[in-house]
Amino acid sequence: MAEKIKNKKYDISESQMITALMDYSTDSIYFKDLKSRFILINKALVKRFGMKSPDEAVGKTDFDFFTEEHAREAYDIEQKIIKTGIPAIDIEEKETWHEKGDRWVSTIKMPYYDKNGKILGTFGISRDITDKKIIENQLEKEMSFMNTLMERIPDSIYFKDLKSRFILINKALAERLDIKDPDEAVGKTDFDFFSEEHAKQAYNDEQNVIKTGKPMVGIEEKETWHEKGDRWVSTIKMPFYDEKGKIIGTFGISRDITEKKKAEEKVEYLSFHDGLTELYNRAYFDEELNRLDTERQLPVTIVMGDLNGLKLINDTYGHARGDILLRNIAEILKESFRKEDIISRWGGDEFISILPKTSVKDAESIIKRIKELCKEKSTTEMPLSISLGASIKKSSSENIDDILKEAEDNMYKSKIVESVTAQESLLQSLRVILKKGDYKTETRIKKMDDYAVLIGKRLNLSSTKLEELKLFMNFHNIGKLALADEIMAKKGRLTAEEWKIVKEIPEIGYRIAESSAKLMPIAESILSHHEWYNGQGYPRGIKGEEIPVLSRISLLVTSYDAMTSDRPYRNKMTSSEAKKEIKKYSGVQFDPKVVDAFFELLEEEK
């Protein structure tokens, strides 16, 4: 008879308790014999096995239900329990079935005994923990994802407590804070890393998030460090909660946007600045003019300037040299005007400046300073000159557009007076540069120029034409200035490709002369100074009287000079030999009338 368990109210037998446990437990319960064969199972396990009655399991083993691998593992554990008498508690194992999906269970396996204490087999209780394992796995995945996020994401991630002390930071933020281990930041605040102003702002933002529960998204802020350069970041700050939904601190993600901000600043800079001179552009000037056109800024002075000689420099040397000229003038303007003045490139070769609270006397002083610096910084290769005009708005009743117009008119008045001098200065510079590249001495150059004028007189040229001839002899080869230095300096014979470039000199010279009021009358002669009398010259192939007389005179004189001068690739001719060569080409290369006049000169010279 089964023993009874005494209770104040009830007498319950062991068999009654086992029956209740077996019948009503939702856990799977079983008894197995010494060979791990089922003796008894409860209803829950019957259901799991997909059977109708517990008796169907009697005599079977785990091998009848589970995969061999799982059944073997269960058998080994049970045999060890039978051998040692030591139970196995809370075994978490995956049950792999023959035909059903796998399930996770937490199992207790223990020996059971007869009345004499002899082990008769094993007793087990298994609880299905599949849902629990799914949740754990999900949490594990989430934690793995979170750890990966914290470890690998380049953005700075942090968690702070209610007092804005760091609880957790990721590797990226540790690197930004110059600490080796993220744990070093725990308990510290922004005040330990950033300037007080920045740390205080961050603290106030976080406390506001804690107080209101509202996140702050896309905050663009400049991080000012104690010892490092400033960086721009875009930050999200939001509250984080405990399991009960109570705010326990803040969570933040900061992305370094320094390069983006630099790019934006560059775009903004370019939108208001001239790319070449780095002065303000016209769009910015217009905005500032509207802003400064107030009574508070009176008197407002406008100074307008026009660079002298830019077109001639561009046509002579190319736009790269013209750009240098513009930048040089811009530097002079920056040096001359005051910090509060708005200096702009108005367009092309024009500049304009707004001078708030500036009298006429002060403006005149600045203009004088500009003129002095232009003289001081001019070189033979790069003479600097700018014509300036100013106008002043003294009362609010005056229209600023009228002031602009008056400044422009005054500038053009200055340009009329100064442009001739500026042109003369620039042409003198060009002449000096041309001489530097010439193999002839100053004495020989003068002699050839005198020959040309004397020929002109014998041909009865007018005084105007004779003056043009003098000018032409100085500038007939002005196109050479546009040649590459290596071609200009070459002492040996030129290659076919180099000759092709050299033959462009007349056309280049023509374009240069067209840019100068002084040289314009001789532009056609410059274009034609390599034309032959019989039409076999270049660039146009014109002949006879079609060729300007200045060109015909120049061709003969320069040819004679070349024949009677030493060259790296040949010796010079005697005067007699040169005359014989010229006579040979009279009517072919040279104008016979010019040849006759020249020979008469040479005879008289004897």
Side-chain angles (χ1 to χ4, degrees), residues 535-552:
Q536 292 180 358
Y538 64 88
R540 294 180 293 172
I542 57 177
K543 63 183 180 178
E545 300 295 320
E546 294 176 327
I547 304 170
V549 66
L550 305 188
S551 304
R552 285 177 268 149

Side-chain angles (χ1 to χ4, degrees), residues 328-336 370 373-374 377 384:
N328 288 346
I329 287 292
E331 289 303 315
I332 287 173
L333 295 178
K334 289 177 194 175
E335 195 174 334
S336 302
I370 293 169
L373 282 175
C374 282
K377 295 178 182 291
L384 303 173

Side-chain angles (χ1 to χ4, degrees), residues 60-88:
K60 293 183 178 180
T61 69
D62 285 341
F63 289 93
D64 295 299
F65 303 101
F66 303 105
T67 61
E68 184 173 354
E69 183 182 359
H70 175 64
R72 173 61 61 187
E73 187 179 348
Y75 177 83
D76 290 343
I77 292 171
E78 289 159 2
Q79 291 305 305
K80 185 177 181 182
I81 290 170
I82 291 168
K83 185 177 180 180
T84 64
I86 300 172

Side-chain angles (χ1 to χ4, degrees), residues 69-266:
E69 183 182 359
H70 175 64
R72 173 61 61 187
E73 187 179 348
Y75 177 83
D76 290 343
I77 292 171
E78 289 159 2
Q79 291 305 305
K80 185 177 181 182
I81 290 170
I82 291 168
K83 185 177 180 180
T84 64
I86 300 172
I89 309 297
D90 290 336
I91 307 166
E92 287 195 356
E93 56 185 346
K94 185 189 282 186
E95 289 182 344
T96 53
W97 299 70
H98 285 313
E99 298 176 355
K100 294 192 290 182
D102 298 342
R103 304 292 292 176
W104 278 91
V105 292
S106 176
T107 303
I108 299 171
K109 295 176 186 275
M110 61 191 75
Y112 76 90
Y113 304 83
D114 63 9
K115 291 181 179 180
N116 297 319
K118 183 182 178 181
I119 294 176
L120 298 176
T122 55
F123 163 71
I125 302 175
S126 293
R127 174 166 293 174
D128 190 313
I129 59 168
T130 303
D131 292 339
K132 173 176 171 285
K133 289 297 287 186
I134 289 171
I135 292 170
E136 285 179 354
N137 287 337
Q138 185 64 33
L139 287 172
E140 189 177 338
K141 286 179 182 177
E142 289 177 1
M143 285 306 295
S144 175
F145 174 75
M146 188 64 183
N147 289 335
T148 301
L149 189 71
M150 292 287 284
E151 183 70 18
R152 297 185 181 179
I153 194 167
D155 294 342
S156 299
I157 302 175
Y158 64 83
F159 291 85
K160 292 182 180 178
D161 63 17
L162 293 172
K163 293 185 178 180
S164 289
R165 294 174 296 202
F166 289 110
I167 300 171
L168 177 68
I169 69 170
N170 70 337
K171 187 177 178 181
L173 183 51
E175 289 175 357
R176 281 179 60 210
L177 298 177
D178 278 342
I179 54 178
K180 293 180 179 179
D181 188 344
D183 290 340
E184 291 180 42
V186 176
K188 294 182 178 179
T189 69
D190 285 340
F191 289 92
D192 295 299
F193 303 102
F194 303 103
S195 67
E196 185 173 357
E197 183 182 0
H198 174 68
K200 193 171 183 180
Q201 181 62 52
Y203 175 83
N204 290 338
D205 289 343
E206 288 154 6
Q207 292 303 308
N208 187 53
V209 169
I210 291 167
K211 184 178 179 181
T212 64
K214 295 179 180 178
M216 299 178 72
V217 179
I219 310 165
E220 290 194 354
E221 54 188 347
K222 184 186 281 187
E223 287 182 343
T224 50
W225 299 72
H226 287 315
E227 297 175 357
K228 297 192 292 181
D230 298 342
R231 305 291 292 175
W232 277 93
V233 292
S234 175
T235 303
I236 298 171
K237 299 185 180 191
M238 59 192 81
F240 80 91
Y241 304 83
D242 62 13
E243 295 175 352
K244 296 179 181 178
K246 183 181 177 182
I247 294 176
I248 56 173
T250 54
F251 163 67
I253 302 176
S254 290
R255 173 167 294 177
D256 191 310
I257 58 167
T258 304
E259 296 308 314
K260 171 176 170 282
K261 289 297 286 185
K262 284 181 179 177
E264 287 176 354
E265 288 170 1
K266 187 175 181 180

Side-chain angles (χ1 to χ4, degrees), residues 480-499:
K480 278 187 178 180
L481 296 176
L483 284 182
D485 291 341
E486 55 268 26
I487 296 177
M488 286 285 288
K490 191 169 183 178
K491 293 183 178 179
R493 291 184 179 275
L494 300 177
T495 65
E497 189 60 34
E498 288 168 341
W499 262 116

Side-chain angles (χ1 to χ4, degrees), residues 461-480:
L461 297 186
S462 67
S463 57
T464 302
K465 276 294 178 187
L466 289 172
E467 289 301 315
E468 288 179 5
L469 180 57
K470 292 176 186 177
L471 184 65
F472 175 68
M473 291 303 292
N474 282 319
F475 292 103
H476 68 279
N477 254 349
I478 194 170
K480 278 187 178 180

Side-chain angles (χ1 to χ4, degrees), residues 266-306:
K266 187 175 181 180
V267 169
E268 184 179 359
Y269 180 89
L270 291 174
S271 67
F272 287 119
H273 287 78
D274 173 57
L276 177 65
T277 62
E278 296 187 356
L279 299 176
Y280 291 117
N281 59 19
R282 186 162 183 169
Y284 185 81
F285 173 85
D286 290 339
E287 282 194 17
E288 287 299 286
L289 187 63
N290 288 330
R291 182 179 69 85
L292 295 172
D293 187 19
T294 63
E295 191 167 358
R296 187 166 54 89
Q297 299 295 338
L298 295 176
V300 174
T301 299
I302 302 295
V303 176
M304 191 174 285
D306 189 288

